[in-house]
Amino acid sequence: MKYIKRISYDFDLYNESDLFVTYDDKPFTGVLFCEEDGVLVGEESVVGGVRNGFALDYFSNKQVEGIQQVQSDCNIGIDARWNENGELIFARKKWGGLTVEELSSEGGILVYEKKANNEEISRRLTSKVFNMYKYRSESVYDLLAEAEEKIKNGTVFDDPRLYSEG
């Protein structure tokens, strides 16, 4: 039978950039979750001890506050935040620390801005360091729609890499 291991973890006790998680003295694969006073405040997927996949933050009213897509602890896709009413504050298309595109709310209106030019993206695509992270060619709009669909359907952590046998 396949299942996803879930372990409680205090996210306040680590620096996200140097997180390596073990469980039973082995690199952990599954979902870490954090609760405050019995209320879920965060979850993130870990593969082989390293953040890989999606991370979610929640408001105390159980609404999603934010979502990030990471690979080997590096933002490689969507990074989005909402307010407690579910209104988008910002959505960014990230890749290896570079913000490629951004949607931000200004007075209730979403404003689009391309942050990285094509030359900068091309240069990074040929870099051995940045090319280790798959570049998502979809727009910030498409990445946001995909993330919102995963949140709505409860499939954010439906990733075959997270499953264990047992």
Side-chain angles (χ1 to χ4, degrees):
M1 181 168 127
K2 291 188 175 204
Y3 66 99
I4 296 177
K5 286 183 190 170
R6 293 178 54 85
I7 60 172
S8 177
Y9 201 86
D10 187 347
F11 292 171
D12 292 332
L13 295 179
Y14 72 85
N15 177 343
E16 289 183 8
S17 65
D18 60 19
L19 173 67
F20 186 80
V21 180
T22 59
Y23 184 74
D24 289 337
D25 295 323
K26 295 181 204 129
F28 177 70
T29 293
V31 174
L32 300 177
F33 68 93
C34 182
E35 294 178 332
E36 291 178 5
D37 299 322
V39 176
L40 184 66
V41 294
E43 299 176 283
E44 57 186 50
S45 55
V46 175
V47 177
V50 180
R51 294 172 64 218
N52 237 316
F54 287 95
L56 286 172
D57 298 311
Y58 299 95
F59 289 109
S60 59
N61 66 6
K62 300 181 184 171
Q63 294 280 29
V64 172
E65 178 181 358
I67 188 168
Q68 288 183 326
Q69 187 177 13
V70 296
Q71 178 182 341
S72 301
D73 286 330
C74 189
N75 287 353
I76 52 107
I78 193 71
D79 178 12
R81 293 269 175 236
W82 293 267
N83 66 23
E84 287 191 71
N85 297 321
E87 298 160 338
L88 186 69
I89 298 170
F90 70 80
R92 297 179 182 127
K93 176 182 177 178
K94 306 275 280 190
W95 179 49
L98 176 70
T99 299
V100 179
E101 298 175 305
E102 180 175 87
L103 286 173
S104 57
S105 179
E106 295 179 15
I109 298 171
L110 287 179
V111 177
Y112 170 84
E113 183 178 358
K114 185 167 182 164
K115 297 286 210 174
N117 62 42
N118 291 338
E119 180 182 312
E120 190 171 12
I121 293 167
S122 294
R123 187 174 58 249
R124 286 182 176 224
L125 278 169
T126 59
S127 161
K128 290 179 182 170
V129 173
F130 287 99
N131 206 20
M132 66 189 241
Y133 304 111
K134 181 182 181 301
Y135 180 72
R136 302 233 15 212
S137 59
E138 302 95 320
S139 73
V140 66
Y141 296 101
D142 293 334
L143 294 175
L144 179 61
E146 174 187 61
E148 289 178 327
E149 188 70 17
K150 286 179 177 288
I151 292 167
K152 178 180 147 195
N153 293 333
T155 58
V156 171
F157 299 109
D158 192 12
D159 180 339
R161 301 173 304 162
L162 296 177
Y163 285 88
S164 298
E165 296 282 339

